[in-house]
Amino acid sequence: DNAGNVVEREEKVAIDITPPVIEVSYDNNDVRHARYFNRNRTATVTVIERNFNPKDVILKLTSSNGVLPALSDWKKKEGTGNGDDTRWVATIPFTEDGDYTLDVAYTDLAGNAARGVTFEKGSEAPSSFTIDKTRPVLTVSYDNNEVKNQNYYKDNRIASIRLDEHNFSEELVAPVIEAETGNRPSLSAWSRSGDTNLATVPYVGDGTY
């Protein structure tokens, strides 16, 4: 000042104009019918950002079975130069049967928001998929079991087919019905109640089936 008194103060200023980059990859891309996987699947989430706070990562995850897989701890991979290419990596294991959706958002400490998620090339059904590791259960029963001489029936016979399966598609059912003599019966339309799927095959008229 005019009297010669001097004061000094030092401030650190961080300039960060680079938005974060979010990448997601999967260890299992063996997809069936566009969205179904019959084995576990792990997503690897990578945030490329110098000024990173894991608490600011917004994980948008839904599950039809009510069980949300947990995000692992973040691991840091040091970058080069000014650190803009520093990588923060975490994983999400999908191990339970269910329908899932996945999205990730992040805004860095300077207020720069990531421009969506980049999925690794070759990632199948990356944002919405189904894990189904349970085999279907197929049961056949008959309304007439009054057999004579091992395989002869004096009345018509109806076969009831029950297929217990959550992810059911009647297009994937391959009925093999043979008639050596008589008219070959057809599989009826399917009815569904929850995971139970029902159809019938009517054996009507004399014949060997």
Side-chain angles (χ1 to χ4, degrees), residues 34-179:
R35 66 168 292 120
Y36 298 95
F37 298 83
N38 59 19
R39 293 184 292 111
N40 294 341
R41 195 179 200 206
T42 298
T44 298
V45 181
T46 301
V47 179
I48 305 173
E49 169 59 41
R50 176 178 55 180
N51 300 305
F52 179 75
N53 183 353
K55 294 181 180 179
D56 293 334
V57 175
I58 301 175
L59 185 63
K60 303 175 183 178
L61 185 63
T62 67
S63 169
S64 64
N65 60 25
V67 180
L68 294 177
L71 182 72
S72 72
D73 293 334
W74 293 90
K75 295 182 179 180
K76 182 180 181 181
K77 295 183 178 180
E78 294 288 352
T80 59
N82 65 2
D84 277 346
D85 59 348
T86 301
R87 304 173 77 86
W88 303 83
V89 182
T91 56
I92 308 170
F94 298 90
T95 60
E96 302 293 333
D97 284 9
D99 304 319
Y100 297 95
T101 63
L102 172 64
D103 194 11
V104 185
Y106 179 72
T107 300
D108 68 17
L109 296 174
N112 301 302
R115 301 186 182 100
V117 176
T118 300
F119 293 101
E120 182 182 52
K121 185 177 180 180
S123 295
E124 299 287 350
S127 58
S128 180
F129 57 91
T130 297
I131 301 292
D132 182 357
K133 301 183 294 180
T134 304
R135 290 181 181 273
V137 177
L138 179 62
T139 306
V140 178
S141 60
Y142 291 89
D143 66 337
N144 175 11
N145 290 300
E146 295 183 6
V147 64
K148 299 291 184 181
N149 297 311
Q150 296 185 333
N151 65 339
Y152 291 88
Y153 298 83
K154 67 177 182 179
D155 293 314
N156 296 332
R157 200 177 195 211
I158 296 177
S160 296
I161 302 173
R162 173 173 173 164
L163 188 58
D164 292 309
E165 169 60 39
H166 178 69
N167 298 303
F168 175 77
S169 172
E170 62 180 86
E171 296 177 357
L172 301 179
V173 178
V176 181
I177 306 171
E178 297 180 355

Side-chain angles (χ1 to χ4, degrees), residues 185-205:
S186 299
L187 183 71
S188 73
W190 288 89
S191 62
R192 183 166 197 181
S193 177
D195 292 347
T196 300
N197 307 277
L198 302 173
T200 58
V201 178
Y203 297 93
V204 179

Side-chain angles (χ1 to χ4, degrees), residues 18-43:
T18 304
V21 174
I22 302 173
E23 297 177 345
V24 173
S25 63
Y26 290 92
D27 65 341
N28 175 11
N29 288 296
D30 185 15
V31 69
R32 310 296 172 92
H33 303 282
R35 66 168 292 120
Y36 298 95
F37 298 83
N38 59 19
R39 293 184 292 111
N40 294 341
R41 195 179 200 206
T42 298

